[in-house]
Amino acid sequence: YLANLFLMLYWAIRWKAVFFLPALLLLIGMPKIKTFYHFPGGKATPEYPVRGDIKIMSYNVEGFLQYDAEKKRTTSARQIIDFIRENDPDIICFQEFQSTPDIPEEKINGWLEAWPYRTHYYTITHQQRGVWGPAIYSKFPILAEAIVPFEESRNGALWADVSVSGRDTLRIICNHLETTYVRENNILFLQPENFAADPDKTAQLRNIAGKLRKGFYKRAPQAETIARLIAERDVPTLVCGDFNDPPMSYTYQTIRNKFNDTFEDKGSGYGYTYKRLYRLMRIDYILASPHFETLSYETPDVEWSDHRPVIATLRKITD
């Protein structure tokens, strides 16, 4: 967008007819700006909360780990739990939830006692680091639940049907789709000073491109699996999680389909959720079926994890 805007202005000032090309591309792309930038204003937010409104949080907590200035790994579990309790959502969808011998699931459950209905899907088991995977914590009773394994993957999804206020059944789908495979050393290479000094840029770029391609290839069938799950039942549904793909991707478009993106409804400013890669990427989502109206959306810039939490409040549209 910025490159085309610059070229359009440059050629327009120089009275070159070719300025029509970037202008046309900008015009075609205008409707997609809302997927990553939301202009202030728009439809007024209804007053809330009222009985039946649902506040949901989706948060990739990076295993409840954080790193100090010397790159030493420490736990962030207590701080994250305090943050969750302060925000007090009705439903929490975790990705990279981790239970370890030092901080086992039972201890975390004690800290999150206000969310007594829980379900976990541990996709990774490690002898020293414990178990790891998506999890759903709810203030509403869970009526049914199931895991959604992904073939040849250490990631997965989890769904739960919850009873809201004893009246409505709501399906929650918590996703953690295939990683991008881009590691810390790749991110460091992309820093301007490192990129300029590296003598073998081509090999490094090919390595990163290969990793991205591998992720795209594996996420496509995973997205199709989630889309089929959504299509199984026409019930009020919220789809949350770390998709590891931006809004322009096949992954996002396949899962979203006709659902509402809560960022597009009520977000503000530039909507990144992943803190690395220059804070450019929105890869964490809360999508809502047409049964809902979005009341609010936020992604607090807290210090823990490499992802920002996504929080939305929704109201079911009366028939």
Side-chain angles (χ1 to χ4, degrees):
Y1 283 92
L2 293 176
N4 275 287
L5 180 62
F6 171 80
L7 291 172
M8 181 189 73
L9 294 174
Y10 175 78
W11 282 325
I13 292 170
R14 294 173 64 87
W15 293 97
K16 300 291 185 180
V18 73
F19 93 92
F20 282 109
L21 179 58
L24 177 62
L25 292 173
L26 283 171
L27 183 63
I28 293 172
M30 282 293 289
K32 292 296 183 182
I33 289 179
K34 64 181 181 180
T35 65
F36 59 86
Y37 187 89
H38 195 281
F39 293 95
K43 186 179 177 182
T45 300
E47 293 182 5
Y48 72 91
V50 301
R51 182 177 173 83
D53 288 355
I54 299 164
K55 186 176 184 180
I56 184 166
M57 175 187 293
S58 181
Y59 197 178
N60 183 326
V61 294
E62 199 182 8
F64 297 112
L65 300 172
Q66 64 181 356
Y67 299 86
D68 60 21
E70 298 178 354
K71 298 297 182 181
K72 292 181 180 179
R73 188 167 62 196
T74 60
T75 180
S76 59
R78 187 73 242 199
Q79 296 96 319
I80 288 176
I81 298 301
D82 288 343
F83 166 78
I84 291 171
R85 292 167 64 175
E86 179 183 345
N87 281 268
D88 195 30
D90 299 303
I91 298 167
I92 313 158
C93 288
F94 288 105
Q95 301 85 46
E96 298 188 9
F97 180 99
Q98 184 173 214
S99 172
T100 67
D102 293 332
I103 304 181
E105 179 188 321
E106 292 74 18
K107 179 178 283 191
I108 297 173
N109 290 346
W111 291 339
L112 294 173
E113 61 181 352
W115 293 264
Y117 307 101
R118 307 139 181 163
T119 181
H120 305 79
Y121 173 30
Y122 291 125
T123 58
I124 300 176
T125 300
H126 192 279
Q127 188 173 2
Q128 282 78 39
R129 292 179 59 185
V131 289
W132 173 294
I136 298 173
Y137 279 62
S138 172
K139 292 184 177 180
F140 307 124
I142 294 178
L143 306 177
E145 62 188 78
I147 64 171
V148 185
F150 296 146
E151 186 176 350
E152 297 182 0
S153 175
R154 301 173 72 185
N155 292 42
L158 179 70
W159 66 261
D161 288 343
V162 302
S163 176
V164 181
S165 303
R167 301 192 311 271
D168 298 324
T169 299
L170 167 65
R171 173 159 288 190
I172 307 295
I173 304 176
C174 178
N175 299 280
H176 188 202
L177 274 63
E178 196 70 23
T179 180
T180 60
Y181 296 99
V182 176
R183 298 292 179 254
E184 188 70 26
N185 64 313
N186 302 126
I187 295 172
L188 289 173
F189 161 73
L190 293 172
Q191 299 290 332
E193 62 276 13
N194 297 332
F195 184 84
D198 196 297
D200 196 6
K201 297 180 181 64
T202 302
Q204 289 271 27
L205 290 171
R206 283 178 177 170
N207 176 261
I208 293 172
K211 290 181 175 182
L212 292 173
R213 180 183 181 278
K214 180 180 178 181
F216 294 145
Y217 183 81
K218 296 193 76 170
R219 281 191 297 275
Q222 294 172 2
E224 291 161 1
T225 296
I226 300 302
R228 286 193 296 271
L229 174 63
I230 293 170
E232 284 179 3
R233 295 182 64 196
D234 183 18
V235 296
T237 301
L238 300 177
V239 181
C240 305
D242 175 5
F243 291 9
N244 272 312
D245 251 333
M248 301 295 186
S249 65
Y250 176 82
T251 296
Y252 170 88
Q253 298 292 338
T254 299
I255 295 175
R256 178 181 177 177
N257 195 4
K258 297 180 180 179
F259 275 33
N260 300 315
D261 187 324
T262 53
F263 168 78
E264 291 186 18
D265 291 342
K266 291 296 176 181
S268 180
Y270 192 83
Y272 77 91
T273 63
Y274 186 58
K275 296 179 183 178
R276 296 172 183 167
L277 290 175
Y278 304 103
R279 302 189 174 220
L280 291 173
M281 307 294 286
R282 183 165 76 95
I283 60 176
D284 302 88
Y285 306 94
I286 297 177
L287 308 177
S289 65
H291 304 86
F292 294 98
E293 176 184 14
T294 305
L295 304 182
S296 68
Y297 174 97
E298 59 179 323
T299 53
D301 192 10
V302 293
E303 61 182 292
W304 317 289
S305 177
D306 54 349
H307 292 249
R308 297 169 75 177
V310 179
I311 307 170
T313 303
L314 302 111
R315 178 173 297 169
K316 188 172 182 293
I317 300 171
T318 56
D319 296 330

